[in-house]
Amino acid sequence: MKKFMDQDFLLESETARQLYHGHAEPMPVIDYDCRLDARKVAEDYRFKSITELWIEDDISKWNIMRMNDTDVEKLKTGGDDWQKFSKWAEAVGNALRNPIYHWTHMELKRIFGIDKLLNKDTAREIYEECNRRLADADFSVRGIMRKFNMECIGSEEDPTDDLSFHETMQGGEGAACSLTMLPVWHPVKALNIEGDGYAAYIHRLEETANTEITSYRDLMDVLQARHEYFQAHHCVVSNLDIYEFSDEAHTDSQIETIFEKAMRGQCLPEFEVKQYKHSFLRRMSEMDFESNWTQQYHLWSVDSTQAARAMYRYLHGLDEEGRLPRTILYSQSPNANDIIASMLRTSSNIQFGLGWGLNNQAENMVQQINTLSSLGLLSRSIGVKSAARSFLDFSYHEYFRRLLCNMIGNDVERGILPDDSDTLNRMVENICYHNVKNYLWTK
């Protein structure tokens, strides 16, 4: 019987083990889009407890506890650190075959050196051991990131955000710790015109820019100025979460009218929301192209023929004009893998984003890799990002690298791929590190 979570976890063949330990594992990590607090990185924050580090800001953990019949709202507001951790441990004990069970034990072993299984019986012992380790000198935020071999992280920021913590890291602090931290442009609140808080957000944007916004044109001017502010702080990536692409025809005057109605708090019909979003996405793409950024789209729905055609027309139109930025497409649902992968034929600028949403499970990630291999070029893939909410979430890169090496190794063992070590070694190193570095910083 193979031991759980040993050094060859998920690696089923000798070729897979050689690829992982010799070529994937040593590669630095570029996690170009996270949801972490930039202040904690800049200040090299020290966590008060394992609960604060591991659980407090991680939605996925709270969701697992909710599934385990925990009163999450009551626990969040009234529970202390130990009570939250013990409920998490109890939930983990029931999470076998969920990927979070793997990630949890990877993080305990790789970062804290703990081999025990986390459950309600071991919770107190593991809680106390983790808290003891957090007092060690090398368990500050940057110390933890060094344990993951992090080279660069992107931190999602709103156009209204102050980037002073990024300035700190881009000065002497970043050089001293060999870590680059870059802002990620995330203007989703300005996109979602149908939201109840849209007008309030535009007023906050006015305050940030010290400029009155009375029209859609004013909004674009302010966002352009903030885009340039992010550019001055070395931003190279943008990110938008969208339900689906649309290609509703519109005129400039129609968009101005839609904006005015939204600022008055009027409810907009669906076709006007789609007109606005089409115009907004187009303008953001143009800004990203002019700044040589990479744009990301996280799509919630591309299953319909209409949505797929709209996405193709949008991307193909920009490409024909020679104005398509480097673009990464992610889908929440595994059912959309074929549609997303088919977009790769539109332009070499487009990447199939792996491992987001429901695709972060092992079998779905394997399915995505197979789809990319069939419809695109796996060797050109930029791998995954963690979208980390906790400073321990970087274990996701190890998980992906192990799955990748296992798939390639098994294909070699079965004679599906050639036993050409130079080609395979280079392929693995590129997918894990070199491709994403070259992609994000290509002129």
Side-chain angles (χ1 to χ4, degrees):
M1 182 185 299
K2 193 174 186 298
K3 183 180 178 183
F4 175 69
M5 201 58 67
D6 65 2
Q7 66 175 0
D8 295 327
F9 176 61
L10 298 179
L11 305 173
E12 299 172 320
S13 67
E14 183 58 32
T15 304
R17 291 187 281 272
Q18 291 175 0
L19 287 172
Y20 178 73
H21 293 301
H23 301 278
E25 187 176 24
M27 289 292 103
V29 175
I30 295 175
D31 202 329
Y32 52 88
D33 189 359
C34 304
R35 298 177 182 182
L36 298 170
D37 186 348
R39 177 184 64 85
K40 286 184 169 68
V41 180
E43 296 178 353
D44 202 17
Y45 184 81
R46 301 194 68 90
F47 290 95
K48 300 176 183 65
S49 72
I50 184 60
T51 303
E52 183 190 11
L53 166 61
W54 209 18
I55 299 171
E56 287 288 1
D57 297 322
D58 195 329
I59 293 173
S60 61
K61 292 184 175 65
W62 292 108
N63 287 339
I64 291 291
M65 284 188 267
R66 187 177 285 109
M67 293 178 204
N68 200 49
D69 201 26
T70 298
D71 187 338
V72 166
E73 283 64 37
K74 181 178 179 181
L75 184 63
K76 279 185 175 182
T77 56
D80 60 23
D81 281 356
W82 160 244
Q83 289 169 331
K84 292 173 182 175
F85 187 88
S86 65
K87 284 296 183 182
W88 166 237
E90 183 181 324
V92 170
N94 288 327
L96 279 80
R97 303 203 81 241
N98 187 297
I100 209 163
Y101 190 83
H102 288 162
W103 305 334
T104 295
H105 291 97
M106 286 173 68
E107 289 154 14
L108 286 174
K109 181 165 185 172
R110 308 296 180 238
I111 304 305
F112 293 93
I114 294 174
D115 278 315
K116 290 185 173 63
L117 300 180
L118 179 62
N119 53 50
K120 63 181 180 180
D121 297 324
T122 60
R124 175 62 76 174
E125 179 185 0
I126 291 175
Y127 177 76
E128 292 177 353
E129 175 60 21
C130 287
N131 285 339
R132 278 194 293 271
R133 295 299 307 276
L134 286 175
D136 293 346
D138 59 344
F139 271 82
S140 64
V141 161
R142 295 183 208 163
I144 292 169
M145 294 174 78
R146 279 192 290 271
K147 296 177 188 297
F148 285 111
N149 199 16
M150 302 302 297
E151 179 178 294
C152 176
I153 65 165
S155 169
E156 281 188 9
E157 309 290 353
D158 184 84
T160 62
D161 286 339
D162 172 39
L163 301 182
S164 58
F165 295 118
H166 290 272
E167 290 178 8
T168 299
M169 287 300 294
Q170 289 164 13
E173 289 292 318
C177 66
S178 301
L179 174 70
T180 300
M181 180 173 70
L182 306 175
V184 174
W185 173 255
H186 191 227
V188 69
K189 292 179 182 177
L191 167 70
N192 290 333
I193 194 169
E194 76 278 24
D196 291 338
Y198 178 80
Y201 175 76
I202 298 302
H203 292 315
R204 183 151 65 94
L205 192 56
E206 286 180 317
E207 293 175 4
T208 300
N210 195 27
T211 301
E212 189 176 13
I213 301 174
T214 61
S215 66
Y216 180 71
R217 182 173 180 176
D218 289 344
L219 173 61
M220 291 299 108
D221 288 343
V222 166
L223 288 174
Q224 177 69 62
R226 297 302 294 173
H227 199 275
E228 292 169 2
Y229 172 67
F230 274 61
Q231 173 85 351
H233 289 79
H234 308 291
C235 178
V236 295
V237 178
S238 70
N239 179 17
L240 279 171
D241 305 298
I242 63 177
Y243 182 72
E244 64 182 9
F245 281 96
S246 61
D247 55 358
E248 298 285 339
H250 61 271
T251 64
D252 291 346
S253 63
Q254 285 176 318
I255 301 301
E256 290 290 357
T257 300
I258 293 167
F259 175 80
E260 291 167 7
K261 289 167 68 175
M263 292 303 291
R264 291 195 298 268
Q266 291 181 232
C267 184
L268 301 174
E270 184 180 356
F271 80 91
E272 288 189 341
V273 172
K274 288 184 175 181
Q275 286 178 316
Y276 173 88
K277 289 190 173 184
H278 186 199
S279 174
F280 188 95
L281 292 179
R282 171 73 190 217
R283 189 68 191 96
M284 292 301 104
S285 286
E286 291 170 351
M287 289 185 194
D288 289 352
F289 179 81
E290 293 298 329
S291 297
N292 192 37
W293 290 5
T294 295
Q295 63 181 2
Q296 302 176 85
Y297 293 117
H298 293 80
L299 296 153
W300 290 86
S301 175
V302 287
D303 295 345
S304 72
T305 301
Q306 181 179 356
R309 286 176 177 170
M311 175 166 57
Y312 171 76
R313 285 194 289 263
Y314 179 81
L315 298 171
H316 182 64
L318 285 168
D319 189 58
E320 280 201 320
E321 296 172 16
R323 297 178 63 79
L324 177 66
R326 293 183 300 278
T327 302
I328 311 173
L329 300 173
Y330 301 87
S331 172
Q332 167 74 9
S333 170
N335 296 331
N337 285 341
D338 288 352
I339 296 173
I340 294 289
S342 69
M343 296 297 151
L344 301 178
R345 302 172 186 178
T346 305
S347 169
S348 61
N349 276 1
I350 299 176
Q351 280 276 339
F352 184 12
L354 301 176
W356 180 68
L358 299 177
N359 289 304
N360 65 9
Q361 302 169 30
E363 62 269 27
N364 290 343
M365 199 181 296
V366 167
Q367 178 187 333
Q368 274 199 313
I369 294 172
N370 282 330
T371 300
L372 175 55
S373 301
S374 298
L375 299 178
L377 298 174
L378 176 60
S379 295
R380 289 176 58 87
S381 172
I382 60 172
V384 296
K385 64 175 184 179
S386 70
R389 297 177 182 271
S390 155
F391 285 96
L392 296 182
D393 284 349
F394 301 121
S395 63
Y396 189 55
H397 290 274
E398 177 183 343
Y399 196 64
F400 168 77
R401 291 176 178 188
R402 287 177 177 273
L403 285 170
L404 173 71
C405 291
N406 191 58
M407 290 180 70
I408 295 172
N410 285 350
D411 282 352
V412 172
E413 299 286 337
R414 294 161 57 200
I416 295 174
L417 287 177
D419 186 13
D420 180 344
S421 59
D422 288 343
T423 298
L424 297 174
N425 297 345
R426 183 168 59 251
M427 177 184 183
V428 166
E429 291 177 4
N430 285 344
I431 294 171
C432 294
Y433 175 70
H434 296 296
N435 286 351
V436 66
K437 186 169 187 176
N438 293 334
Y439 184 75
L440 296 182
W441 284 279
T442 295
K443 295 294 183 183

